[in-house]
Every structure is written in C-alpha cells, then in structure tokens.
Amino acid sequence: MFGPSALRVNPRSVALPGGVCASFAVAGYPRDVGAGWLEPLLTYPGRLDVSLHVEPVPPLVAAQRLRRQLARLESASRTDAQRGRLADFAAEAAADDAADLAASLARGHGRLFRVGLYLSVHATDPGELEAQVQRVRALAASLLLDAQPTTFRALQGWTTTLPLGHDSVKTRRVFDTAALAAAFPFTSPDLHPNLTDAPVLYGLNAYSSGVVVWDRFAQDNYNSVTIARSGAGKSYFTKLETLRLLYQGVHIAVIDPEDEYQRLCHAVGGTHIALGAPGVCFNPFDLPDGKEDDTLIRRALFVQTLIAAMLGEPLTPAARSVLDRAVLAAYRTCGITADPRTWNRRAPLLADLTSQLDLYAQTGTPNACAAADLAARLAPFVTGSYRGMFAGPTSTRPHGHLIVFSLRDLPEETRTVGMLLALDAIWRQVTDPGDRRRRLVVVDEAWMLMREDEGARFLYRLAKSARKHWAGLAVVTQDAADLLGSDLGQAVIANSATQILLRQAPQAIDKIGAAFDLTDGEKGFLLAADRGQGLLCGTATGSDRAAFTAIASQHEHRLTTTDPAELATLDHPDNSPGKELDPQ
C-alpha cells in the first residue's frame, strides 16, 4: 500500500515492479544562472523526477567559511604569482565570487544554502532506460550541469528523489539567495515580470509545465483589460484572480451585471448590494466620508452627470444652470451648506430635487420651462416605475474588503444609471485620503457602460487616475468593438499594463490582432483556445507574453463556476458546503 512489494538493487539502477530507474546527482553547475533555469528538466517529455533539497546555512557559520575560502583562494593566487606560474583564471573568478558573497552576507542582502539537485530517470525496461539516461545527461550537459550516476548508491539516489524530504546522497553545493530563487519553477519562461511579495497565480503555461505568475501591482500601472467571447471563461478567470488577491489583503470592489459574484461574496464575508432589488435604495446625494473643502461642489457636479445619464442625453446649458441651482437648494433644505460642520446631516433625496425644480418652474423666469421639463422627465425615477432605487436613504453602506454591486435586478433602462452610481461609490472610497490601501475595481461586462458617453468618460477617468490612489481597474468585456471602436475605449486599453485575451470570435480576431500586435500564431491560438485558455500580454517590457490555462482548486471552482448544471448540483440539498463533490 505504501510502496513497491519488492526491489532489485543493481549498481546503477533499481528494478521496480513494472519498470526500472536510474538516479543522478548534479555535481557541477554553471557560474551564472537565469530565472527558471531548471525549466528544461521540468519539461522533459519522458518520466523524470527532479528533487531539490535545500538546507539553510547559519549566517555565522557561512561568514566563517567564506572568510576561510577567500583566504585560501587569495593565498593560492599569491603563491602562484611568487613562483612565476600562469594566472589561474578559475581561481580568480572563484575569489571574486566569494568576495561578492561575503559582502552580500555582511549587508544582510542574502543568505547561503546547501543545495542538492538529484534526478531519477524511469523506463519500462533496461534498454529503454539506457536511451533515456543518455538523453537526460545530454540535456543536463546543455545546461552546463554535471550529472553523475549514483553508482553503488542506486537505492539511496532513488529514495532521495522521492517526496520524503530526506537526502541520502548528500552531494551538495552552496547557493546564495538569488541563485536558489532562480532554481524554483515558479516562473514562466515567456515572462520576465517584476514581481513583488504578492504575485498571483494565473495558471499553467500552455506550452510547458511551468506556472504563469503575475503581479499587476508591480507594473507601470495596475489596470488590466480582459477580452473574450461569451463562454470563454473571462468571468471565471476574473473571479479566480479576485479571490487570490483577497488572500493578500487587497480591497476589491466589483460591478456585477449578472449577479455572478454573489456566491463568492457570501463565502468570504463581503458586502453584496443588489441594486434594483426590493427594499434596496442607494442615494446619490450622500456625501463621502472623507471630507475635503470641495466635497459639496463635487457631489453636486456628479449629480448633474447622473441626471444626464438618467435622461439619456447631454444637458442643455439652460437645463444645466437650473439643475445646478436646484441641487444646491435641495441640500440647503436639509441644512447642508458649504460649512463642513453641516455635512453629517441627512442628505436630500431625488424627490427633494424634483420639488426644487417644481418651485423653480413656478417662478416664471426664462429658465422655468427647462426646470419644468427636467421635473417631468425625472418623474419616473421619483414617483414612477423606476423609483425603487431612489425612494429612500441608502439601505446598505458600501463597506468591507469585498464589495459587490449587482445590477441584475435593475431594468435595462436604468442599468447604466446603476452602474454609474456604483462606480461613483467605489471612486469615493478609492480617493479617500484617510484609507490608503491596495485596491482593485472590477467592471464586468464593461460594454454596457461603454455604450453611454457619460459612462465611458467616467471609466476613462478611473483608468487614468486610479494608479495615483494605489488602485487598479480591471475591465472585462465580451464585445471588443465597444473598446476598440471608440477613442475612450482605446485609451482604456492603452492605460492597461496587463492585457488578457481569451478565446476570440473569428469576426473580431483581425481587429484584436491589430490592436494588440498579435502574431499569426497567437491569433490561431486564440481562435482554437479551449475554455479557460488565454494569452497574457504584459506591456511593461513589450515582450512579456505567455499562453496559459487557468486552474482552480476544487473549493475555488465551487465559488467561481457559473455553469448552470454545476450550480444545480451545488444547490442540491445533498451537497452541503461541508461535502465534497465527485470530481467526475
């Protein structure tokens, strides 16, 4: 149950039930290594076990050994010079490396580790094993690795490569922190990202066994754009990144048009606000918590923008003049003036604004007709079919580590208005000078906002200014034409240092290829990509591109999937949260 029933130990191989294996210990390494230098071994097409044993060296012991080694090398170099021998360039290079390591260790920039690298090659018979051994040794030699067989220690070599954490061979080499970090297979050979302490796993590299890890907060800006056709997995991927950023303490706000984030939000204890649902109100006149000198003026200007979105057209100069006076008058009726001490009082409602417009319409002034027209056109939002969201004060405050604004219950006629309200509430938190933290604003199905001029301009402002407040904008859309077909949409793409392309429709691949400078091979990959497969384009260097497949644990999959068949299974009474689903 725990191992093979019998073994036959030969001088250089171990015969296992159904196969045979040979092990090697790496005794020589190149002088310099790059990130992911073990990738060729990890992607070997045959069965090859690679084991890396790491043991830290105490700093005091490391310093003493470095001093002795440096003294030994310098003494040998001086002796050769005194006796007139030719310079030993290998010894000089070793002395320079030892001096650099000693300086780095003294400054606390790194540590030393004893590292053992071992390989076990598996085959079905001795003839095949010999061929595989030759290929593996040739591959190791191409990496400047000296792989020596564990002669008469075949059993110890095999057990050393098992996941037991025990090194029976003890053929080790001293590594510094940089060299050891480069040995770990946590990078993609196609990426050269500037990673910080909190990168995010995007998935497995589509062309190797490496992983694709990316940190949006280490790029020039923190914005991203995700474009894919319907059903390609863009929301699934976005929810995975959202969940993994929450692990790292990033504050996230989501605009959710289809209520796809509700399960995730409830699982992590977030705040879910279903705009348009019965009893859910959201007052646009609320003043933000972070009070500045121009808070009231900025709020009045946003109300004018919101009214224009409600009416579906830009305001005329007369209407804008009347509306500006009516908004300030509505605040005054609640006792709110330019004095910051009055800003904690109850904010007016949309009904108070229409009341002021009605009063202005009765004055008989030149702009009275404009006031009456505005009041009449706002009537559906006050007393008509769309009044639910503006009927009272805000019912749920948007606070928490995850805030989800669901727009599914909003009528199509007011969906853009609800999205604009949600973005404004998020922007108020992003710009709060008293609460600086890493934030991400996710706008799913952004094409709905891009259809409206006011919404597109608001999104453009967020893309341009979010970085100044330690925040990023993640735009997710299935309609590339809405982004590529407008100047504002192209500006959003240009201000996104992280660009993610999943499966594309043939009708849109030419525009996307031209916009993102894709090669014919990359366009072919996006046309034939399976669900969850995509292309990460990092614009930090212009050459960071990697094809990947998004992966999720079983628990993450339960929270992020939107497959109706799977959701029906998850909601079944027999599948309580404490039970695991059949992986099939």
Side-chain angles (χ1 to χ4, degrees), residues 549-570:
T549 301
I551 58 173
S553 67
Q554 188 174 21
H555 182 65
E556 288 176 325
H557 179 74
R558 293 166 70 101
L559 298 179
T560 55
T561 182
T562 54
D563 188 340
E566 292 190 32
L567 292 179
T569 304
L570 291 173

Side-chain angles (χ1 to χ4, degrees), residues 76-87:
S77 178
R78 290 178 182 177
T79 301
D80 291 341
Q82 290 175 357
R83 296 181 179 180
R85 295 174 182 173
L86 294 177

Side-chain angles (χ1 to χ4, degrees), residues 195-391:
L195 300 179
T196 60
D197 296 333
V200 173
L201 172 65
Y202 276 16
L204 294 177
N205 193 298
Y207 299 112
S208 70
S209 62
V211 295
V212 175
V213 180
W214 191 255
D215 186 0
R216 65 165 65 235
F217 289 97
Q219 311 310 315
D220 294 339
N221 60 69
Y222 318 138
N223 303 332
S224 70
V225 57
T226 303
I227 302 177
R229 65 182 300 179
S230 178
K234 59 184 181 301
S235 295
Y236 186 93
F237 167 78
T238 304
K239 282 181 280 187
L240 278 180
E241 185 186 15
T242 297
L243 186 59
R244 290 164 183 172
L245 286 173
L246 287 172
Y247 298 156
Q248 302 169 4
V250 178
H251 183 278
I252 298 179
V254 181
I255 306 297
D256 182 14
E258 301 298 336
D259 203 20
E260 296 181 349
Y261 292 76
Q262 181 180 8
R263 184 186 298 272
L264 172 62
C265 182
H266 292 332
V268 301
T271 302
H272 186 264
I273 303 176
L275 296 178
V280 177
C281 299
F282 207 85
N283 186 14
F285 290 85
D286 288 337
L287 295 176
D289 295 333
K291 305 298 191 301
E292 298 181 4
D293 294 340
D294 59 346
T295 295
L296 182 61
I297 300 300
R298 289 183 176 273
R299 183 76 338 213
L301 293 175
F302 169 74
V303 171
Q304 298 179 29
T305 302
L306 181 69
I307 297 300
M310 289 179 175
L311 302 180
E313 62 182 18
L315 297 174
T316 63
R320 186 173 295 276
S321 175
V322 170
L323 183 59
D324 183 61
R325 295 184 181 181
V327 169
L328 296 178
Y331 276 109
R332 285 195 297 270
T333 58
C334 296
I336 299 176
T337 63
D339 188 354
R341 293 175 296 179
T342 64
W343 292 351
N344 292 324
R345 298 174 180 173
R346 183 190 67 85
L349 302 176
L350 190 61
D352 298 324
L353 175 62
T354 56
S355 298
Q356 295 298 322
L357 290 173
D358 289 334
L359 292 176
Y360 196 82
Q362 298 172 6
T363 59
T365 58
N367 292 333
C369 293
D373 180 67
L374 282 175
R377 298 178 66 180
L378 289 176
F381 298 93
V382 178
T383 59
S385 304
Y386 307 145
R387 69 181 183 278
M389 189 165 55
F390 309 100

Side-chain angles (χ1 to χ4, degrees), residues 112-133:
L112 295 186
F113 303 86
R114 284 189 289 266
V115 178
L117 178 60
Y118 307 97
L119 312 174
S120 286
V121 185
H122 293 260
T124 57
D125 56 71
E128 182 186 352
L129 178 64
E130 183 63 26
Q132 293 290 344
V133 164

